[in-house]
Amino acid sequence: MPEKKVGRPRGFDREQALNAAVTVFWEKGYDGTSMRDLTDAMGINSPSLYSVFGDKQQLFMAAIDHYSQNFGKSPISAFNDETDIKKAIIAFLETGITEDDSTPEHPKGCFISSCVPTSAGHVEGATEKLQHIIKGADSLFAARFEEEKSRGSLPADFPSEERARLMFDLRQGHVLRARADLPSARIEADLESRANMILSY
Amino acid sequence: MPEKKVGRPRGFDREQALNAAVTVFWEKGYDGTSMRDLTDAMGINSPSLYSVFGDKQQLFMAAIDHYSQNFGKSPISAFNDETDIKKAIIAFLETGITEDDSTPEHPKGCFISSCVPTSAGHVEGATEKLQHIIKGADSLFAARFEEEKSRGSLPADFPSEERARLMFDLRQGHVLRARADLPSARIEADLESRANMILSY
DNA sequence: CCAATTATGTAACGATCGTTATCAAATAAA
DNA sequence: TTTATTTGATAACGATCGTTACATAATTGG
C-alpha cells in the first residue's frame, strides 16, 4: 500500500493529523483557528502542514470532507441501517443528537452546521461545500422515501422531497440547541412524535 | 432626550454605528471580523469604539442584542401580528425566509443562527446569548399555543411546548439553506404543509 | 559510499491583530 | 476668557497572524 520509495519517510499519519485539525476547526471555526492552534493539535510543524495539505483554507476544505465521511456520517449510516422507515428516521435524529454532545473531547453540535455557515461567503469553497452536503442529504432521504413507496410501505403520493427537506431542517434545530449547550432530553422525547409527523399523510 | 451637557459632543450616532457593526459580524463572524473592518464600516476610530462599546467582545454582544431587536424580530412580529394561528405560523416562517436573503446589502441567513454558534464555547457570552434566544422563542410560541387552547382554537391536549420547539427547529433548516445560497422557492412551497403539520393532532 | 529526493525543525518574513497612550478639538460651566 | 470635561484623530504598542527560506535529517537508487 505505501507507494513512496525515495526520500525521507513522513513522520506522521495524514489521517490522524486531519482528525486533529477537524477538532480544532470544530471548536473555534475557520477564522478563530490559528496556524499555531493547528500545528499544536496536529503535532507537526507548519512546513509539513503546507506540504501535505496546501494552506489553511485547503486544510479547512479537507477537514469538512473528512468530518462528513466520519463523525458526520453516522446519523446517515444509522438511517441507512434501519429497514423500517420510521425506525430509520428516529435513528437518524437520535444518532445525530447523541453525536452532538457525545465525547467531551469533541465540541458540541455538528461541525458542518455550527461552524461552516459562518465562513460561507467569505472563505472560498465554504458555500459550495454546504450546498453539496445539503443537496446530498435531501436526495438521500428522498430516494429512500421513493424506495419505500415502490415497496408499498408509503402511499404512492407521499411527498418524498418535501419530507426529505423536513427531516434535514429539523436536524438543524437540534444542532443549534446542542451547540448552545441546551439539554437534549426534551428533544429526544419529541422524536417519536416527529417521526410520525414526517411520515403522516 | 440628549442628557450630556459638558464636553465635546459625540460626532456619530451610536445606533447607526451598531447597525454597521452588526452587518460586518453577520458577514464574517466574530473572529473573521477585524477591528479595522469594524471601524471602517462604522465610520469611527478605534478609541471611539472602545469608549462607547467597550471592546470587540462587548461590541459583539451588543450586536447580537441589536440584531435580535431589529432584523431578528420581524419573523416574531409577523407571528404575533396574525390572529389566526395557522396564518401566524406561516407568517413566521415566510417572513424569516424573506428576511434571510432580502436586501443585497445584508449577508444571507440569520446572523444569530449562522454566525453566533461558531463562537459558542470560545467567545465569552455567546453560549448564554444563544440559550436566551432559543428559550425565548420556545416559550413565546408555547405561550401562544396555550392561549389558542384556552380560546378553543386548539384541542385541550395540544402539545404546545413540543410544537413550539418544532417550529423553531424548522426555521433553523431554512436559515442554513439561505446561508448556503440555496433557492428558497422550494421551501416556501412547503410552508402550507408544514404549518398543517405543526398544528395537526 | 555517493548522489538524488523528500521530510523535518528552526527561524524568520512582512502584515495585521486588538488595544491604548497621547494630544488636539469642541463643548459647558465658571 | 479661562477651566473642566469629553470626543476626535494619529500613531504606536507588543503580540500574533499566515506563510516561506533554509539548512539538516532520513530514506532509496545507483
Side-chain angles (χ1 to χ4, degrees):
Chain A
M1 186 55 38
E3 307 290 349
K4 313 288 204 57
K5 303 221 157 200
V6 71
R8 179 175 176 170
R10 183 173 298 152
F12 64 96
D13 179 59
R14 199 197 116 102
E15 189 148 294
Q16 201 169 311
L18 190 48
N19 246 306
V22 166
T23 305
V24 182
F25 281 133
W26 191 354
E27 167 107 38
K28 308 187 176 187
Y30 178 76
D31 290 301
T33 299
S34 67
M35 286 297 301
R36 179 79 202 280
D37 291 333
L38 290 167
T39 53
D40 282 358
M42 298 164 87
I44 60 177
N45 302 109
S46 43
S48 300
L49 190 156
Y50 275 80
S51 78
V52 174
F53 297 104
D55 60 11
K56 190 190 172 189
Q57 181 267 341
Q58 291 173 268
L59 175 58
F60 190 60
M61 297 297 114
I64 293 174
D65 291 338
H66 190 69
Y67 179 92
S68 299
Q69 288 149 19
N70 292 273
F71 305 97
K73 200 169 199 171
S74 65
I76 299 288
S77 301
F79 176 80
N80 286 330
D81 290 351
E82 279 288 351
T83 50
D84 180 73
I85 183 61
K86 182 176 163 185
K87 285 182 183 170
I89 294 171
I90 294 180
F92 167 74
L93 295 173
E94 178 113 53
T95 305
I97 291 172
T98 306
E99 195 91 339
D100 282 340
D101 51 357
S102 51
T103 53
E105 76 238 27
H106 286 141
K108 306 286 180 116
C110 164
F111 168 48
I112 309 290
S113 306
S114 301
C115 296
V116 183
T118 299
S119 301
H122 83 285
V123 175
E124 192 172 306
T127 299
E128 289 73 16
K129 291 285 180 197
L130 281 179
Q131 289 182 353
H132 183 254
I133 290 166
I134 295 170
K135 286 179 183 171
D138 280 351
S139 45
L140 178 99
F141 294 142
R144 171 66 179 265
F145 288 142
E146 285 297 307
E147 197 186 312
E148 298 288 335
K149 280 162 75 170
S150 72
R151 202 184 302 154
S153 45
L154 280 178
D157 54 353
F158 183 84
S160 297
E161 296 193 0
E162 181 209 314
R163 300 306 165 92
R165 289 192 286 270
L166 175 61
M167 264 187 74
F168 181 84
D169 288 353
L170 276 181
R171 166 88 187 112
Q172 304 316 311
H174 300 175
V175 171
L176 179 61
R177 292 172 191 277
R179 188 73 176 183
D181 214 4
L182 286 172
S184 59
R186 269 174 296 184
I187 292 297
E188 292 199 66
D190 295 348
L191 290 190
E192 169 87 13
S193 156
R194 293 197 172 183
N196 283 333
M197 217 171 268
I198 291 166
L199 292 173
S200 72
Y201 190 62
Chain B
M1 182 59 33
E3 307 289 350
K4 313 289 207 54
K5 304 223 156 197
V6 71
R8 177 175 175 171
R10 182 172 299 154
F12 63 95
D13 180 57
R14 198 198 116 101
E15 188 147 297
Q16 201 170 313
L18 190 47
N19 246 306
V22 165
T23 304
V24 182
F25 281 133
W26 191 353
E27 167 108 37
K28 307 186 176 187
Y30 178 76
D31 290 302
T33 299
S34 67
M35 285 298 301
R36 180 79 202 281
D37 291 333
L38 290 167
T39 53
D40 281 358
M42 299 164 86
I44 60 177
N45 303 110
S46 41
S48 299
L49 190 156
Y50 275 80
S51 78
V52 174
F53 296 105
D55 59 11
K56 189 188 172 189
Q57 181 267 341
Q58 291 173 269
L59 175 58
F60 189 60
M61 297 297 115
I64 293 174
D65 291 338
H66 190 67
Y67 179 92
S68 299
Q69 288 149 19
N70 291 275
F71 305 98
K73 201 170 199 170
S74 64
I76 298 288
S77 301
F79 176 81
N80 285 331
D81 290 350
E82 278 289 352
T83 49
D84 178 73
I85 182 61
K86 182 176 164 184
K87 285 183 183 169
I89 293 172
I90 293 179
F92 167 74
L93 295 174
E94 178 112 53
T95 305
I97 291 172
T98 307
E99 194 91 339
D100 282 339
D101 50 357
S102 50
T103 52
E105 77 239 27
H106 285 141
K108 305 286 179 115
C110 163
F111 168 48
I112 309 291
S113 304
S114 302
C115 296
V116 183
T118 298
S119 301
H122 83 284
V123 175
E124 193 171 305
T127 299
E128 290 72 18
K129 290 284 181 201
L130 281 179
Q131 289 182 354
H132 183 255
I133 290 167
I134 296 171
K135 286 178 184 173
D138 280 352
S139 46
L140 178 97
F141 295 142
R144 170 66 180 264
F145 289 142
E146 285 297 305
E147 197 185 310
E148 298 289 335
K149 281 160 75 170
S150 72
R151 202 184 302 156
S153 45
L154 280 177
D157 53 353
F158 183 84
S160 297
E161 296 193 359
E162 181 209 314
R163 300 305 166 92
R165 289 193 286 270
L166 175 61
M167 264 187 75
F168 181 84
D169 288 354
L170 277 182
R171 165 89 186 114
Q172 304 316 311
H174 299 175
V175 172
L176 179 61
R177 291 172 191 275
R179 188 72 177 183
D181 215 4
L182 287 172
S184 60
R186 270 175 294 184
I187 292 296
E188 290 199 70
D190 295 348
L191 289 190
E192 169 87 12
S193 156
R194 294 198 171 183
N196 283 333
M197 216 172 271
I198 291 166
L199 292 173
S200 71
Y201 191 60

